[in-house]
Amino acid sequence: SFVKGTEAIVAAARDLGKASEAAAQQAGDDKAKANTTFDQGISLGYTADGLTIHTAGYKLDPTSDNEANVQTMLGTAVETGKAIAASGLADPSGDIDGFGKAFSDLVKGTKAFAAAREASVEHAATAVAAIRSVSDQHAASAVQSRTSSYVLMAAITAATLLLAFAVSVGMSRLVSRPIVSLTRAMARLATGDTDVDLGTTRRRDEI
């Protein structure tokens, strides 16, 4: 509808120019009116061209300034259409109004698209932040778990070393004490002391 509205204004300006030429031929005695009508047709044609150019500019860069430029040109077209209708020629106001409605729809659609795009960007940023937060939490949990594993391994290693030390000390005492006692007894026997009580006659091991 927007493109059709633009084409309708251009067509109306073209028809108006033709009508003004015909009116000038039929009313040769009223050259001033014929010239005015012709000038109005030319003015509407320029206005239609301006609307097309500024609308294309708004499509490329939908800023408030470009929108204001189109609205200004549209106001000029409305005034020109009223002047043409007042001169008794075909009234292009319907086509101009159609263009205005089509442009309003374009503005609404453009703003809705921009709002949707901004909302999409915000949602994407929120999602990225959430993913980053979860990733950081997992990383922190992994570091904490790794630290806990290191502590547990260190504790197990220390406990194992202590147990091994205790076992080695116990085994040393179990083996060394009887040997030391036996060695002392043998030394007393060597000196002729036969009253030595070995106290190992009931053992069933090597001692």
Side-chain angles (χ1 to χ4, degrees):
S1 59
F2 176 78
V3 175
K4 289 181 179 179
T6 304
E7 293 177 349
I9 293 177
V10 174
R14 189 180 300 113
D15 293 340
L16 183 58
K18 293 179 180 179
S20 63
E21 291 178 359
Q25 293 177 359
Q26 294 175 1
D29 56 339
D30 194 356
K31 293 183 179 180
K33 182 177 180 179
N35 290 334
T36 300
T37 303
F38 183 79
D39 291 341
Q40 289 172 346
I42 296 299
S43 177
L44 183 59
Y46 286 151
T47 302
D49 292 340
L51 280 172
T52 303
I53 294 172
H54 287 299
T55 301
Y58 177 79
K59 288 181 179 179
L60 294 174
D61 187 16
T63 61
S64 57
D65 291 338
N66 287 336
E67 179 184 354
N69 290 334
V70 176
Q71 294 293 351
T72 300
M73 294 298 297
L74 190 58
T76 302
V78 170
E79 295 300 324
T80 304
K82 290 179 180 179
I84 292 172
S87 66
L89 296 177
D91 188 1
S93 299
D95 294 328
I96 296 173
D97 291 340
F99 181 90
K101 291 178 181 178
F103 181 73
S104 296
D105 292 338
L106 174 65
V107 172
K108 291 179 181 178
T110 302
K111 291 181 178 180
F113 175 77
R117 181 176 60 185
E118 291 180 0
S120 176
V121 171
E122 291 179 359
H123 290 321
T126 302
V128 170
I131 293 173
R132 184 175 300 170
S133 176
V134 172
S135 177
D136 292 341
Q137 290 178 359
H138 281 299
S141 178
V143 172
Q144 184 177 2
S145 177
R146 187 181 303 170
T147 302
S148 300
S149 298
Y150 288 158
V151 172
L152 180 61
M153 290 177 62
I156 293 175
T157 302
T160 302
L161 291 175
L162 288 176
L163 180 62
F165 178 75
V167 170
S168 63
V169 170
M171 291 297 295
S172 176
R173 289 183 179 181
L174 287 175
V175 174
S176 63
R177 281 184 179 179
I179 292 177
V180 171
S181 176
L182 185 60
T183 300
R184 289 177 180 175
M186 293 300 103
R188 290 176 62 185
L189 285 173
T191 60
D193 186 1
T194 59
D195 293 330
V196 177
D197 183 10
L198 298 177
T200 59
T201 56
R202 296 180 181 180
R203 297 176 67 96
R204 296 290 184 266
D205 55 7
E206 291 79 359
I207 298 299

